[in-house]
Amino acid sequence: MCNEVLKKAINSVLNSKMSFCKFLTANDTGATGGHQVGILISKSASDMMFTKTELCSGSIVKKTVKINWQDSMQTESCFTYYQSKNELRITRFGRGFPFLVPEETGSLFVFTKLEDDYFNGYFLETEDEIDSFLDTFNISPTETNRLITSKGILQSEREKEVIYDFIRGLTVDFPPSEEMSTAAREIENTLYNHKEHIISNPDNKIISWTNMEFELFRSLEHVRYGSIISNGFNSVDEFVEMANTVLNRRKSRAGKSLEHHLSAIFDGNQIRYTSQAVTEGKKKPDFIFPSEDAYHDLDFPVNKLVSLAAKTTCKDRWRQVINEADRLRNGNKYLCTLQQGISETQINEMEREKVILVVPKPYISSYPRSKQSKIWTLSQFVNFVKEKENI
């Protein structure tokens, strides 16, 4: 269900001059214990905040603007550019500002420009809100911390050529999600020739594959729907039907993407596993290592079994993984996510339930500093399972 803040954030993006989104990191919310102030903004959004002349006017450049937050409160805030750090920040929120607190780590910050000195800001706190927003604009969690555009990541001519060769060869409008994921990996591996990273750098590989799949899907949507949208609709009902079809397909594909790419990482490392194994009743962990048969063999040592859940975002849904495998109830459960930051309180809850986060290495710095050493990289998890399986 689309709540009011989510609706307002989506509408603001659609009606803005420019827009930006990012996951709030521990540094933004003060959860690192550092002395940074305000929300760090990617340099990719500099044109949204300053003119080029303004950026060159001094070592520290400041600009006062009005920001309407959640459509419920307004501040006179400050854009600050630190030339020495090559860094942009939004600062000056006033006393009692309720959103830059450690508990907000991992929320999605949506920022839109209405006029040169007037902006809207929204904080989407739940996974349903975050996923709905990202699905609406077909943005991968790996593509945040940048301007929101209809074109996604800028493609090279070679990338466009390979993607459209794939699309021209399709015999269906939209292939199954597993086929899309496979095609994305093949295209990325062909274009950038780093297939060895499956073993040597799985953390970067999972991000690269995810980005490529979103690019492939966006391109396919453009081919399939571009002319229909350009020609307009005969009725509101026709438009709503088309919009729902597009959004439902996006949600369905995005939900399986991470799981497909993890399977490819495990296959490339010769790891044994069963995906969507049935443990007890209707329980289905995303992955059981080394196999479903081993799990149900009561003579197989419990300490040689491992479960892994795959969830693109995990602010709320991480609790779903706690009881997915009864034989492992007293041991660690592992959760791989593309989420960039969650609060220390949530990680403490995970620790109490013996849930260990597995996060691509580049994203670990977005988590509270006190917890970063407890979070596993994907490479660390792969090596852990290899050791269990004597590979």
Side-chain angles (χ1 to χ4, degrees):
M1 182 64 73
C2 193
N3 71 15
E4 286 304 311
V5 173
L6 173 60
K7 287 180 183 177
K8 290 172 180 176
I10 291 171
N11 287 334
S12 189
V13 171
L14 292 174
N15 292 292
S16 67
K17 292 182 175 181
M18 302 177 78
S19 54
F20 170 88
C21 71
K22 66 169 286 185
F23 287 101
L24 289 180
T25 68
N27 189 43
D28 296 316
T29 63
T32 59
H35 299 291
Q36 300 292 349
V37 177
I39 302 174
L40 180 65
I41 303 295
S42 164
K43 281 297 294 297
S44 68
S46 60
D47 289 346
M48 182 177 173
M49 300 170 70
F50 292 102
T51 66
K52 287 182 170 54
T53 301
E54 288 171 334
L55 285 175
C56 297
S57 64
S59 59
I60 299 179
V61 183
K62 292 181 179 289
K63 181 178 184 178
T64 300
V65 297
K66 288 183 172 64
I67 304 177
N68 185 29
W69 303 98
Q70 309 285 79
D71 281 355
S72 63
M73 62 180 293
Q74 188 176 104
T75 61
E76 276 206 353
S77 295
C78 185
F79 294 161
T80 305
Y81 171 61
Y82 302 92
Q83 191 177 70
S84 61
K85 302 177 183 178
N86 197 24
E87 184 177 283
L88 288 167
R89 284 189 178 269
I90 305 174
T91 60
R92 200 189 303 157
F93 301 93
R95 289 185 179 180
F97 188 75
F99 300 107
L100 292 188
V101 292
E103 290 71 29
E104 289 290 331
T105 305
S107 294
L108 188 70
F109 171 55
V110 180
F111 195 53
T112 65
K113 180 176 184 176
L114 305 180
E115 301 294 341
D116 287 345
D117 60 352
Y118 192 76
F119 295 76
N120 281 342
Y122 302 92
F123 298 92
L124 304 180
E125 299 171 321
T126 69
E127 278 184 286
D128 285 342
E129 292 172 340
I130 292 168
D131 290 346
S132 293
F133 182 88
L134 296 178
D135 289 337
T136 296
F137 296 102
N138 206 12
I139 300 169
S140 163
T142 61
E143 295 173 342
T144 57
N145 199 22
R146 66 187 69 185
L147 291 174
I148 299 170
T149 72
S150 60
K151 297 179 180 178
I153 299 170
L154 186 63
Q155 295 176 339
S156 68
E157 289 304 314
R158 174 62 177 151
E159 191 172 307
K160 288 180 184 177
E161 179 184 336
V162 173
I163 285 175
Y164 282 97
D165 279 347
F166 167 77
I167 293 173
R168 282 190 288 269
L170 290 175
T171 57
V172 295
D173 279 352
F174 285 88
S177 62
E178 188 168 5
E179 187 177 332
M180 286 289 289
S181 296
T182 300
R185 291 193 298 273
E186 290 175 351
I187 290 170
E188 196 275 343
N189 290 339
T190 299
L191 285 171
Y192 302 107
N193 195 28
H194 287 300
K195 194 171 182 179
E196 75 281 0
H197 286 179
I198 295 170
I199 296 173
S200 64
N201 196 343
D203 294 88
N204 282 354
K205 203 63 177 171
I206 202 87
I207 294 172
S208 296
W209 281 344
T210 301
N211 287 343
M212 182 58 71
E213 183 172 351
F214 270 78
E215 276 307 293
L216 180 59
F217 192 74
R218 273 190 287 261
S219 298
L220 181 55
E221 281 191 332
H222 177 73
V223 170
R224 298 292 186 253
Y225 298 135
S227 61
I228 297 173
I229 294 170
S230 297
N231 292 332
F233 299 90
N234 295 321
S235 67
V236 172
D237 287 343
E238 189 178 309
F239 166 75
V240 170
E241 183 179 357
M242 170 66 77
N244 285 336
T245 298
V246 171
L247 283 173
N248 288 336
R249 184 179 286 112
R250 287 177 180 180
K251 290 176 182 177
S252 176
R253 186 207 55 78
K256 300 296 290 182
S257 173
L258 178 59
E259 185 180 330
H260 295 324
H261 295 318
L262 284 171
S263 291
I265 293 289
F266 301 146
D267 290 342
N269 283 274
Q270 299 183 318
I271 288 173
R272 300 187 302 278
Y273 66 93
T274 301
S275 60
Q276 296 300 311
V278 177
T279 51
E280 293 85 18
K282 295 182 179 180
K283 297 177 181 178
K284 284 187 178 182
D286 292 317
F287 298 95
I288 284 287
F289 306 86
S291 68
E292 181 177 356
D293 288 341
Y295 181 86
H296 288 291
D297 179 359
L298 297 184
D299 292 327
F300 191 86
V302 173
N303 65 358
K304 292 290 186 179
L305 295 170
V306 179
S307 71
L308 176 73
K311 294 189 181 297
T312 307
T313 56
C314 69
K315 275 188 58 121
D316 311 309
R317 299 184 193 130
W318 68 267
R319 293 176 181 83
Q320 296 171 359
V321 314
I322 296 172
N323 298 310
E324 288 184 333
D326 290 354
R327 288 192 71 189
L328 302 175
R329 69 168 68 90
N330 296 320
N332 291 331
K333 280 76 69 174
Y334 298 86
L335 169 58
C336 184
T337 185
L338 300 176
Q339 176 87 40
Q340 295 177 50
I342 58 174
S343 72
E344 187 169 358
T345 299
Q346 288 171 309
I347 297 176
N348 287 337
E349 291 180 29
M350 290 182 181
E351 289 176 355
R352 286 194 290 272
E353 299 291 348
K354 297 185 178 180
V355 175
I356 294 177
L357 278 177
V358 179
V359 178
K361 187 176 180 179
Y363 296 162
I364 290 181
S365 62
S366 65
Y367 286 77
R369 187 175 299 157
S370 63
K371 297 297 181 181
Q372 290 176 12
S373 63
K374 304 285 185 69
I375 298 171
W376 286 28
T377 64
L378 181 55
S379 178
Q380 187 176 353
F381 178 80
V382 166
N383 290 332
F384 167 72
V385 176
K386 280 183 170 182
E387 187 174 335
K388 291 277 187 184
E389 297 186 359
N390 298 316
I391 296 173

